[in-house]
Amino acid sequence: MPSVCERSHFYSMDVDPDINAVRFRWDGQPTGEELRYGANQLLEFVRSRAVSGLIVDTRRVTAHPRSSVEWLVRAWMPKVATAGIRHVAVVHEDNLLARTEMEALKQRIQQASSLPLFYTAESQEEARRWTAEQNQSITSFSHLVRYLSSLTLFSLS
C-alpha cells in the first residue's frame, strides 16, 4: 500500500512498490511556474528512487498553456527518461478538452525519440493496470537478457 512521501498545497506524490512506480497528483490548477516547480520536484523524487513507471493524475487540471506543454516535451521528459522512467501513464478527466489535450501531448511524445512510453487513462485503476503490465514486460526482458548473457556460446579451449 503506497504512502504519501511528499506533499505541497498543489501536488502530492508517493511510491507504489507493487507496480514499481511513482504516483503524482495535481491537487489544483497550477500556474506555469507552479507546473515547472512541481514537475522538477517530481523529477528529483524519481531520481531518488529506483522505479521504472510514473503515473500522473491531472484530473484537477483544466488545461496546460502551450509553453508549459513545450517545456514538458522538450526539456522535462528527456530528463525523466534519463532518470530511469520507462513508461508514463497520465490520468485525465473524461471530457473532450482533456482527451484532446492528452492526445496531442501523446502524439508529440511519440514523435520524439528516446522518451518513455506514454499512455493516457481516464481512471487511476486503468493507469495502474497499464503501468503494472509495462513493468512486467521490463522485468521479463531483463531476466531474458541476464539469462542470455550467462550462456557460454563458444569455448576457446
PDB file of all heavy atoms in Angstrom, residues 110-130:
ATOM      1  N   GLN A 110       5.322  10.715 -28.712  1.00  0.00           N
ATOM      2  CA  GLN A 110       5.624   9.571 -29.576  1.00  0.00           C
ATOM      3  C   GLN A 110       6.519   9.962 -30.745  1.00  0.00           C
ATOM      4  O   GLN A 110       7.260   9.130 -31.252  1.00  0.00           O
ATOM      5  CB  GLN A 110       4.325   8.934 -30.074  1.00  0.00           C
ATOM      6  CG  GLN A 110       3.596   8.174 -28.985  1.00  0.00           C
ATOM      7  CD  GLN A 110       2.239   7.662 -29.429  1.00  0.00           C
ATOM      8  OE1 GLN A 110       1.664   8.129 -30.397  1.00  0.00           O
ATOM      9  NE2 GLN A 110       1.721   6.693 -28.695  1.00  0.00           N
ATOM     10  N   GLN A 111       6.470  11.218 -31.165  1.00  0.00           N
ATOM     11  CA  GLN A 111       7.319  11.682 -32.265  1.00  0.00           C
ATOM     12  C   GLN A 111       8.765  11.871 -31.819  1.00  0.00           C
ATOM     13  O   GLN A 111       9.681  11.802 -32.626  1.00  0.00           O
ATOM     14  CB  GLN A 111       6.784  12.991 -32.838  1.00  0.00           C
ATOM     15  CG  GLN A 111       5.487  12.833 -33.585  1.00  0.00           C
ATOM     16  CD  GLN A 111       4.852  14.162 -33.955  1.00  0.00           C
ATOM     17  OE1 GLN A 111       5.336  15.222 -33.574  1.00  0.00           O
ATOM     18  NE2 GLN A 111       3.762  14.103 -34.692  1.00  0.00           N
ATOM     19  N   ALA A 112       8.954  12.134 -30.542  1.00  0.00           N
ATOM     20  CA  ALA A 112      10.300  12.351 -30.022  1.00  0.00           C
ATOM     21  C   ALA A 112      10.957  10.990 -29.781  1.00  0.00           C
ATOM     22  O   ALA A 112      10.312  10.036 -29.373  1.00  0.00           O
ATOM     23  CB  ALA A 112      10.245  13.148 -28.733  1.00  0.00           C
ATOM     24  N   SER A 113      12.243  10.921 -30.023  1.00  0.00           N
ATOM     25  CA  SER A 113      12.936   9.657 -29.792  1.00  0.00           C
ATOM     26  C   SER A 113      13.444   9.589 -28.355  1.00  0.00           C
ATOM     27  O   SER A 113      13.666  10.602 -27.708  1.00  0.00           O
ATOM     28  CB  SER A 113      14.106   9.524 -30.765  1.00  0.00           C
ATOM     29  OG  SER A 113      15.023  10.570 -30.556  1.00  0.00           O
ATOM     30  N   SER A 114      13.619   8.408 -27.878  1.00  0.00           N
ATOM     31  CA  SER A 114      14.178   8.082 -26.564  1.00  0.00           C
ATOM     32  C   SER A 114      13.388   8.636 -25.377  1.00  0.00           C
ATOM     33  O   SER A 114      13.939   8.843 -24.317  1.00  0.00           O
ATOM     34  CB  SER A 114      15.651   8.513 -26.467  1.00  0.00           C
ATOM     35  OG  SER A 114      15.768   9.915 -26.392  1.00  0.00           O
ATOM     36  N   LEU A 115      12.099   8.873 -25.563  1.00  0.00           N
ATOM     37  CA  LEU A 115      11.262   9.263 -24.435  1.00  0.00           C
ATOM     38  C   LEU A 115      10.507   8.036 -23.942  1.00  0.00           C
ATOM     39  O   LEU A 115      10.331   7.064 -24.669  1.00  0.00           O
ATOM     40  CB  LEU A 115      10.275  10.372 -24.839  1.00  0.00           C
ATOM     41  CG  LEU A 115      10.895  11.728 -25.167  1.00  0.00           C
ATOM     42  CD1 LEU A 115       9.808  12.750 -25.451  1.00  0.00           C
ATOM     43  CD2 LEU A 115      11.803  12.220 -24.054  1.00  0.00           C
ATOM     44  N   PRO A 116      10.038   8.064 -22.702  1.00  0.00           N
ATOM     45  CA  PRO A 116       9.306   6.903 -22.174  1.00  0.00           C
ATOM     46  C   PRO A 116       8.038   6.615 -22.964  1.00  0.00           C
ATOM     47  O   PRO A 116       7.489   7.497 -23.634  1.00  0.00           O
ATOM     48  CB  PRO A 116       8.946   7.336 -20.746  1.00  0.00           C
ATOM     49  CG  PRO A 116       9.859   8.462 -20.415  1.00  0.00           C
ATOM     50  CD  PRO A 116      10.187   9.115 -21.715  1.00  0.00           C
ATOM     51  N   LEU A 117       7.548   5.369 -22.866  1.00  0.00           N
ATOM     52  CA  LEU A 117       6.230   5.046 -23.413  1.00  0.00           C
ATOM     53  C   LEU A 117       5.214   5.928 -22.723  1.00  0.00           C
ATOM     54  O   LEU A 117       5.350   6.224 -21.534  1.00  0.00           O
ATOM     55  CB  LEU A 117       5.891   3.581 -23.148  1.00  0.00           C
ATOM     56  CG  LEU A 117       6.669   2.522 -23.890  1.00  0.00           C
ATOM     57  CD1 LEU A 117       6.258   1.141 -23.389  1.00  0.00           C
ATOM     58  CD2 LEU A 117       6.431   2.635 -25.378  1.00  0.00           C
ATOM     59  N   PHE A 118       4.191   6.336 -23.442  1.00  0.00           N
ATOM     60  CA  PHE A 118       3.214   7.278 -22.903  1.00  0.00           C
ATOM     61  C   PHE A 118       1.817   6.724 -23.115  1.00  0.00           C
ATOM     62  O   PHE A 118       1.494   6.260 -24.201  1.00  0.00           O
ATOM     63  CB  PHE A 118       3.374   8.631 -23.611  1.00  0.00           C
ATOM     64  CG  PHE A 118       2.573   9.740 -23.011  1.00  0.00           C
ATOM     65  CD1 PHE A 118       3.042  10.440 -21.910  1.00  0.00           C
ATOM     66  CD2 PHE A 118       1.346  10.099 -23.552  1.00  0.00           C
ATOM     67  CE1 PHE A 118       2.312  11.475 -21.366  1.00  0.00           C
ATOM     68  CE2 PHE A 118       0.604  11.130 -23.006  1.00  0.00           C
ATOM     69  CZ  PHE A 118       1.091  11.822 -21.912  1.00  0.00           C
ATOM     70  N   TYR A 119       1.001   6.771 -22.082  1.00  0.00           N
ATOM     71  CA  TYR A 119      -0.347   6.210 -22.122  1.00  0.00           C
ATOM     72  C   TYR A 119      -1.296   7.171 -21.422  1.00  0.00           C
ATOM     73  O   TYR A 119      -0.926   7.773 -20.413  1.00  0.00           O
ATOM     74  CB  TYR A 119      -0.334   4.855 -21.404  1.00  0.00           C
ATOM     75  CG  TYR A 119      -1.655   4.142 -21.382  1.00  0.00           C
ATOM     76  CD1 TYR A 119      -2.127   3.472 -22.503  1.00  0.00           C
ATOM     77  CD2 TYR A 119      -2.423   4.125 -20.224  1.00  0.00           C
ATOM     78  CE1 TYR A 119      -3.336   2.798 -22.462  1.00  0.00           C
ATOM     79  CE2 TYR A 119      -3.633   3.442 -20.179  1.00  0.00           C
ATOM     80  CZ  TYR A 119      -4.087   2.783 -21.305  1.00  0.00           C
ATOM     81  OH  TYR A 119      -5.277   2.113 -21.279  1.00  0.00           O
ATOM     82  N   THR A 120      -2.488   7.334 -21.953  1.00  0.00           N
ATOM     83  CA  THR A 120      -3.489   8.157 -21.288  1.00  0.00           C
ATOM     84  C   THR A 120      -4.612   7.274 -20.789  1.00  0.00           C
ATOM     85  O   THR A 120      -4.986   6.293 -21.441  1.00  0.00           O
ATOM     86  CB  THR A 120      -4.048   9.252 -22.222  1.00  0.00           C
ATOM     87  OG1 THR A 120      -4.666   8.635 -23.350  1.00  0.00           O
ATOM     88  CG2 THR A 120      -2.941  10.187 -22.689  1.00  0.00           C
ATOM     89  N   ALA A 121      -5.143   7.613 -19.624  1.00  0.00           N
ATOM     90  CA  ALA A 121      -6.191   6.817 -18.994  1.00  0.00           C
ATOM     91  C   ALA A 121      -7.229   7.748 -18.371  1.00  0.00           C
ATOM     92  O   ALA A 121      -6.919   8.888 -18.025  1.00  0.00           O
ATOM     93  CB  ALA A 121      -5.593   5.922 -17.922  1.00  0.00           C
ATOM     94  N   GLU A 122      -8.423   7.239 -18.220  1.00  0.00           N
ATOM     95  CA  GLU A 122      -9.488   8.036 -17.603  1.00  0.00           C
ATOM     96  C   GLU A 122      -9.721   7.650 -16.151  1.00  0.00           C
ATOM     97  O   GLU A 122     -10.588   8.225 -15.503  1.00  0.00           O
ATOM     98  CB  GLU A 122     -10.769   7.914 -18.418  1.00  0.00           C
ATOM     99  CG  GLU A 122     -10.616   8.552 -19.790  1.00  0.00           C
ATOM    100  CD  GLU A 122     -11.842   8.420 -20.666  1.00  0.00           C
ATOM    101  OE1 GLU A 122     -12.895   7.956 -20.185  1.00  0.00           O
ATOM    102  OE2 GLU A 122     -11.747   8.785 -21.854  1.00  0.00           O
ATOM    103  N   SER A 123      -8.939   6.682 -15.631  1.00  0.00           N
ATOM    104  CA  SER A 123      -9.062   6.316 -14.220  1.00  0.00           C
ATOM    105  C   SER A 123      -7.705   5.911 -13.671  1.00  0.00           C
ATOM    106  O   SER A 123      -6.823   5.456 -14.407  1.00  0.00           O
ATOM    107  CB  SER A 123     -10.058   5.166 -14.038  1.00  0.00           C
ATOM    108  OG  SER A 123      -9.501   3.950 -14.502  1.00  0.00           O
ATOM    109  N   GLN A 124      -7.577   6.064 -12.373  1.00  0.00           N
ATOM    110  CA  GLN A 124      -6.363   5.666 -11.679  1.00  0.00           C
ATOM    111  C   GLN A 124      -6.148   4.153 -11.804  1.00  0.00           C
ATOM    112  O   GLN A 124      -5.025   3.687 -11.980  1.00  0.00           O
ATOM    113  CB  GLN A 124      -6.502   6.075 -10.204  1.00  0.00           C
ATOM    114  CG  GLN A 124      -5.262   6.034  -9.390  1.00  0.00           C
ATOM    115  CD  GLN A 124      -4.181   7.005  -9.798  1.00  0.00           C
ATOM    116  OE1 GLN A 124      -3.140   6.529 -10.233  1.00  0.00           O
ATOM    117  NE2 GLN A 124      -4.368   8.290  -9.668  1.00  0.00           N
ATOM    118  N   GLU A 125      -7.234   3.390 -11.761  1.00  0.00           N
ATOM    119  CA  GLU A 125      -7.141   1.931 -11.866  1.00  0.00           C
ATOM    120  C   GLU A 125      -6.607   1.505 -13.234  1.00  0.00           C
ATOM    121  O   GLU A 125      -5.768   0.610 -13.340  1.00  0.00           O
ATOM    122  CB  GLU A 125      -8.508   1.274 -11.622  1.00  0.00           C
ATOM    123  CG  GLU A 125      -9.058   1.481 -10.231  1.00  0.00           C
ATOM    124  CD  GLU A 125      -9.655   2.873 -10.002  1.00  0.00           C
ATOM    125  OE1 GLU A 125     -10.078   3.544 -10.991  1.00  0.00           O
ATOM    126  OE2 GLU A 125      -9.669   3.313  -8.847  1.00  0.00           O
ATOM    127  N   GLU A 126      -7.108   2.142 -14.289  1.00  0.00           N
ATOM    128  CA  GLU A 126      -6.643   1.834 -15.644  1.00  0.00           C
ATOM    129  C   GLU A 126      -5.156   2.159 -15.792  1.00  0.00           C
ATOM    130  O   GLU A 126      -4.388   1.374 -16.348  1.00  0.00           O
ATOM    131  CB  GLU A 126      -7.468   2.624 -16.660  1.00  0.00           C
ATOM    132  CG  GLU A 126      -7.075   2.395 -18.095  1.00  0.00           C
ATOM    133  CD  GLU A 126      -7.820   3.312 -19.075  1.00  0.00           C
ATOM    134  OE1 GLU A 126      -8.709   4.088 -18.665  1.00  0.00           O
ATOM    135  OE2 GLU A 126      -7.482   3.241 -20.269  1.00  0.00           O
ATOM    136  N   ALA A 127      -4.737   3.312 -15.276  1.00  0.00           N
ATOM    137  CA  ALA A 127      -3.328   3.714 -15.347  1.00  0.00           C
ATOM    138  C   ALA A 127      -2.447   2.750 -14.561  1.00  0.00           C
ATOM    139  O   ALA A 127      -1.366   2.361 -15.015  1.00  0.00           O
ATOM    140  CB  ALA A 127      -3.159   5.131 -14.816  1.00  0.00           C
ATOM    141  N   ARG A 128      -2.916   2.349 -13.399  1.00  0.00           N
ATOM    142  CA  ARG A 128      -2.155   1.423 -12.558  1.00  0.00           C
ATOM    143  C   ARG A 128      -2.019   0.059 -13.234  1.00  0.00           C
ATOM    144  O   ARG A 128      -0.953  -0.552 -13.223  1.00  0.00           O
ATOM    145  CB  ARG A 128      -2.835   1.287 -11.195  1.00  0.00           C
ATOM    146  CG  ARG A 128      -1.992   0.608 -10.174  1.00  0.00           C
ATOM    147  CD  ARG A 128      -2.668   0.654  -8.791  1.00  0.00           C
ATOM    148  NE  ARG A 128      -1.766   0.157  -7.791  1.00  0.00           N
ATOM    149  CZ  ARG A 128      -1.543  -1.127  -7.562  1.00  0.00           C
ATOM    150  NH1 ARG A 128      -2.177  -2.058  -8.262  1.00  0.00           N
ATOM    151  NH2 ARG A 128      -0.690  -1.511  -6.636  1.00  0.00           N
ATOM    152  N   ARG A 129      -3.093  -0.424 -13.837  1.00  0.00           N
ATOM    153  CA  ARG A 129      -3.067  -1.716 -14.538  1.00  0.00           C
ATOM    154  C   ARG A 129      -2.073  -1.666 -15.697  1.00  0.00           C
ATOM    155  O   ARG A 129      -1.251  -2.575 -15.867  1.00  0.00           O
ATOM    156  CB  ARG A 129      -4.478  -2.064 -15.024  1.00  0.00           C
ATOM    157  CG  ARG A 129      -4.637  -3.426 -15.625  1.00  0.00           C
ATOM    158  CD  ARG A 129      -6.089  -3.811 -15.917  1.00  0.00           C
ATOM    159  NE  ARG A 129      -6.924  -2.739 -16.431  1.00  0.00           N
ATOM    160  CZ  ARG A 129      -7.866  -2.094 -15.716  1.00  0.00           C
ATOM    161  NH1 ARG A 129      -8.098  -2.416 -14.469  1.00  0.00           N
ATOM    162  NH2 ARG A 129      -8.582  -1.131 -16.275  1.00  0.00           N
ATOM    163  N   TRP A 130      -2.130  -0.612 -16.516  1.00  0.00           N
ATOM    164  CA  TRP A 130      -1.212  -0.474 -17.644  1.00  0.00           C
ATOM    165  C   TRP A 130       0.233  -0.400 -17.156  1.00  0.00           C
ATOM    166  O   TRP A 130       1.133  -1.041 -17.724  1.00  0.00           O
ATOM    167  CB  TRP A 130      -1.563   0.767 -18.469  1.00  0.00           C
ATOM    168  CG  TRP A 130      -0.659   0.967 -19.648  1.00  0.00           C
ATOM    169  CD1 TRP A 130      -0.762   0.370 -20.866  1.00  0.00           C
ATOM    170  CD2 TRP A 130       0.507   1.810 -19.710  1.00  0.00           C
ATOM    171  NE1 TRP A 130       0.272   0.790 -21.689  1.00  0.00           N
ATOM    172  CE2 TRP A 130       1.055   1.681 -21.000  1.00  0.00           C
ATOM    173  CE3 TRP A 130       1.121   2.669 -18.810  1.00  0.00           C
ATOM    174  CZ2 TRP A 130       2.190   2.361 -21.411  1.00  0.00           C
ATOM    175  CZ3 TRP A 130       2.262   3.348 -19.203  1.00  0.00           C
ATOM    176  CH2 TRP A 130       2.786   3.190 -20.494  1.00  0.00           C
TER     177      TRP A 130
END
